């Protein structure tokens, strides 16, 4: 595992979704990157990305590959994890409109609604002010994105749309966004994940 002077090893959950974009972003930031498909793959990583894609498909595949419970354990024991779009859904404790039988990994004290903005044709981009990031604002791309309907007392909102709907949250070792910073070359959320990895290493 990572020490003060070692290169962090970050896993990208590679069951389905936009894996390569996250890999590129992490490598550009100096991280060692590996794909996570099996429980044993989790043992070698210092942090994890749960990418965008189809949350219900990732959920089903995680159970097929016996990854769901190891992922839940890793989250509970402090592994830094960042989820984008579908990844945010999978990190939420509650999904209000999941398909029949859909489960999440949990960890974030939030309630999310899948596809809150409609289908692919309703995708959009906007500028967001994010707590702790300063200027410039984050250029955010929303694609069939979820919305955070409620933020529980253990989590905190980092960013919201102009109408107040929350689209980025943080809770301890966990981070989630409704949008895809990896598609716009926006590195600050990935840097925040790496900071959480380093913070955990020096405790």
């Amino acid at each position: 595992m990572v020490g003060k002077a070692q290169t962090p090893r970050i896993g990208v959950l590679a069951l389905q979704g936009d894996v390569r974009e996250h890999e590129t972003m992490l490598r550009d930031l100096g991280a060692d990157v590996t794909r996570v498909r099996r429980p044993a793959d989790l043992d070698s990583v210092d942090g994890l990305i749960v990418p965008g894609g189809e949350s219900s498909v990732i959920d089903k595949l995680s159970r097929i590959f016996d990854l769901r419970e190891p992922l839940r354990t890793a989250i509970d024991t402090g592994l830094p994890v960042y989820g984008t779009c579908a990844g945010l859904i999978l990190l939420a404790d509650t999904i209000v409109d999941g398909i029949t039988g859909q489960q999440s990994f949990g960890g974030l004290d939030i309630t999310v609604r899948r596809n809150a903005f409609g289908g692919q044709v309703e995708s959009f981009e906007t500028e967001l002010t994010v707590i702790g990031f300063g200027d410039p604002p984050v250029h955010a791309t929303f694609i069939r994105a979820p919305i955070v309907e409620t933020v529980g007392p253990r989590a905190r909102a980092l960013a919201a749309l102009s109408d107040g709907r929350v689209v980025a949250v943080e809770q301890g070792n966990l981070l989630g966004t409704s949008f895809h910073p990896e598609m716009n070359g926006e590195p600050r959320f990935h840097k925040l994940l790496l900071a959480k990895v380093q913070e955990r290493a020096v405790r």
Side-chain angles (χ1 to χ4, degrees):
M1 293 298 175
V2 67
K4 290 183 180 180
Q6 293 177 307
T7 301
R9 185 173 179 84
I10 308 300
V12 181
L13 187 63
L15 300 177
Q16 190 261 349
D18 63 331
V19 172
R20 286 177 295 178
E21 292 86 348
H22 285 288
E23 290 177 325
T24 298
M25 178 71 75
L26 289 165
R27 289 193 179 105
D28 287 348
L29 293 174
D32 183 17
V33 184
T34 187
R35 295 188 175 190
V36 172
R37 293 192 178 97
R38 303 283 182 179
D41 298 333
L42 279 173
D43 296 337
S44 66
V45 301
D46 305 299
L48 182 71
I49 299 272
V50 183
E54 294 287 347
S55 61
S56 58
V57 173
I58 297 172
D59 165 43
K60 288 178 182 178
L61 290 174
S62 74
R63 285 181 271 162
I64 289 171
F65 288 97
D66 295 323
L67 260 172
R68 182 175 183 271
E69 291 308 317
L71 282 167
R72 286 171 59 86
T73 298
I75 290 167
D76 288 345
T77 55
L79 183 72
V81 182
Y82 172 31
T84 60
C85 198
L88 171 66
I89 296 169
L90 288 159
L91 290 178
D93 283 343
T94 305
I95 307 170
V96 296
D97 61 345
I99 68 169
T100 301
Q102 182 169 354
Q103 301 177 37
S104 69
F105 307 142
L108 282 172
D109 185 16
I110 60 172
T111 299
V112 297
R113 181 174 296 278
R114 298 165 57 246
N115 299 340
F117 298 100
Q120 191 106 2
V121 294
E122 279 77 45
S123 299
F124 68 98
E125 299 182 15
T126 191
E127 304 293 311
L128 292 173
T129 298
V130 178
I131 292 174
F133 282 10
D135 291 325
V138 168
H139 186 78
T141 298
F142 292 80
I143 303 172
R144 297 177 62 203
I147 203 75
V148 179
E149 293 208 333
T150 62
V151 179
R154 291 180 290 117
R156 70 165 182 154
L158 294 181
L161 298 174
S162 58
D163 61 8
R165 288 183 292 177
V166 173
V167 292
V169 293
E170 180 182 35
Q171 180 181 323
N173 57 307
L174 304 179
L175 178 66
T177 59
S178 299
F179 49 90
H180 294 271
E182 74 282 0
M183 292 185 174
N184 300 105
E186 166 55 69
R188 286 174 284 181
F189 287 97
H190 292 72
K191 286 182 177 179
L192 181 55
L193 174 68
L194 293 176
K196 290 179 183 296
V197 168
Q198 190 61 43
E199 179 183 356
R200 187 186 189 208
V202 299
R203 284 177 187 165

